[in-house]
Amino acid sequence: MSIPSIVVHGGSGEIPASIRKTDVKMKYLDAMKSALDEGYGMLKNGASALEGVMMAVQILEDCELFNAGKGSVFTVKGEHEMDAAVMDGKNLEAGAVAGVQGIKNPVRLAGDIMEHSPYVFLAGREAEEYARRREFEFMPASYFHTEFRANQWKKTRGSGEMQLDHSSDDDDQQGTVGSVAVDEKGNLAVATSTGGMTNKAWGRIGDSPLIGAGTYANNKTCAVSCTGHGEYFIRGVIAYDVSCRMEYGEASLEEAAEKAINDRLKNLGGEGGLIAVDARGNIAMPFNSEGMYRGMKNEHRTFTQIL
Ligand code: ASP
């Protein structure tokens, strides 16, 4: 038996002054708290870690403050293309989607692909067709559009550059979302969801839906969800790197997570952070960016913070 524990993140990067203002900050903290409360409540009632993390991420996708689902950033074409993945540490099953448009909850689609298809990863139009066949809820572009993200995009449009959604100093809406959990049976799971990076090329896929890069879970080691500049996380295979350090190098969760971010990712020139949990309920949340949105809940501790 393990003590159920759940962790969430809401992105990493610079924390703009506007967010540090108490009333705005409270909105983020409350949103992360709702996700934790709901996910933890399920774990306490016997739900699996997988069910808990999918619920936590769905709640954050539905909250327009975060760059996932509603509130996703704009691509270079002024559209929204979302990526998401889930992984079950019990059997190493995984599901992922990339570049999907109009789907209200990409994390649920990733979960469905894992459970009801012979595939792990569907992208673009075929992922949307699959969602239609499985009667997923679609929303019009206006649902995903937020004034803030539109302004953010206008500033980068034409620059030929893409930007982490939280790297401009007047942001008041933040990042990619993710959750990791351990349930009472000691099973681990992870879910990650994102709109990607502002002004990203059409078809650009980040680390979040790539198993091993931004998302990974294995009961033998840990569950990991990453956030930051995806290209570096892909090159460093960062989520799997944490697991490997534990499996082959016998590092503790904390050592493994710390090295993956502050050694491996940093040496590549990458910025970001991750959340991780092991079967004993230990958690790690390192980051090398200026800040990170994160929180956790178990029977001993609950907190949400913007550092
Ligand atoms: N990792 C995400 C990506 O590169 C962005 C983020 O974490 O904010 O798509």
Side-chain angles (χ1 to χ4, degrees):
M1 289 288 276
S2 294
I3 299 172
S5 203
I6 186 161
V7 188
V8 295
H9 72 74
S12 65
E14 288 173 30
I15 312 294
S18 57
I19 298 230
R20 299 218 181 261
K21 279 192 263 156
T22 315
D23 53 333
V24 183
K25 188 173 168 181
M26 283 315 292
K27 286 200 278 177
Y28 286 93
L29 296 178
D30 287 349
M32 288 192 289
K33 186 170 178 307
S34 305
L36 288 169
D37 286 347
E38 194 68 34
Y40 183 70
M42 290 175 67
L43 296 178
K44 279 303 274 184
N45 286 325
S48 68
L50 184 69
E51 288 165 324
V53 294
M54 286 205 288
M55 177 54 79
V57 167
Q58 179 179 338
I59 289 171
L60 296 172
E61 283 180 341
D62 290 343
C63 173
E64 67 175 29
L65 295 171
F66 299 96
N67 172 23
K70 186 175 175 61
S72 285
V73 297
F74 285 79
T75 66
V76 71
K77 282 192 184 173
E79 296 174 341
H80 306 282
E81 289 186 356
M82 299 170 286
D83 304 337
V86 301
M87 187 162 185
D88 189 345
K90 188 174 62 183
N91 45 24
L92 305 189
E93 286 187 3
V97 291
V100 293
Q101 297 189 300
I103 288 155
K104 182 165 182 270
N105 291 113
V107 70
R108 292 287 176 191
L109 183 56
D112 195 283
I113 288 168
M114 176 177 101
E115 282 171 35
H116 299 288
S117 88
Y119 309 115
V120 168
F121 201 161
L122 290 179
R125 274 203 307 271
E126 178 47 29
E128 290 158 19
E129 276 306 309
Y130 176 91
R132 273 187 201 97
R133 288 197 297 275
R134 298 284 302 160
E135 299 184 352
F136 266 76
E137 190 172 4
F138 276 73
M139 300 303 264
S142 56
Y143 169 82
F144 299 94
H145 179 111
T146 54
E147 241 355 83
F148 168 75
R149 298 283 182 218
N151 289 335
Q152 197 179 40
W153 176 55
K154 278 178 202 145
K155 285 185 204 160
T156 29
R157 195 158 96 184
S159 68
E161 284 178 12
M162 69 174 179
Q163 199 177 58
L164 262 178
D165 67 299
H166 23 55
S167 40
S168 85
D169 56 7
D170 56 357
D171 275 1
D172 63 359
Q173 286 178 308
Q174 297 295 314
T176 291
V177 303
S179 178
V180 294
V182 53
D183 61 29
E184 59 187 18
K185 294 190 178 134
N187 290 318
L188 304 178
V190 55
T192 311
S193 181
T194 186
M197 289 172 68
T198 296
N199 210 36
K200 68 181 181 181
W202 177 86
R204 178 263 186 189
I205 297 169
D207 60 311
S208 308
L210 294 180
I211 300 305
T215 300
Y216 191 74
N218 182 345
N219 275 9
K220 278 208 241 167
T221 54
C222 57
V224 183
S225 174
C226 301
T227 169
H229 194 137
E231 279 65 13
Y232 296 94
F233 282 82
I234 295 172
R235 289 167 54 207
V237 203
I238 295 298
Y240 188 54
D241 183 66
V242 178
S243 175
C244 286
R245 286 176 195 275
M246 295 177 72
E247 187 170 1
Y248 309 124
E250 292 176 15
S252 68
L253 178 79
E254 202 177 342
E255 286 161 2
E258 187 60 32
K259 282 241 156 68
I261 291 294
N262 283 313
D263 196 350
R264 188 172 173 85
L265 181 73
K266 201 168 170 184
N267 288 341
L268 284 172
E271 254 192 40
L274 61 81
I275 52 172
V277 67
D278 69 15
R280 278 189 262 155
N282 294 311
I283 65 161
M285 311 168 137
F287 59 93
N288 70 0
S289 45
E290 195 207 286
M292 186 166 169
Y293 298 69
R294 60 195 202 168
M296 62 85 61
K297 186 170 175 104
N298 64 20
E299 71 182 21
H300 304 300
R301 283 168 83 197
T302 304
F303 66 83
T304 52
Q305 56 188 199
I306 301 177
L307 290 181

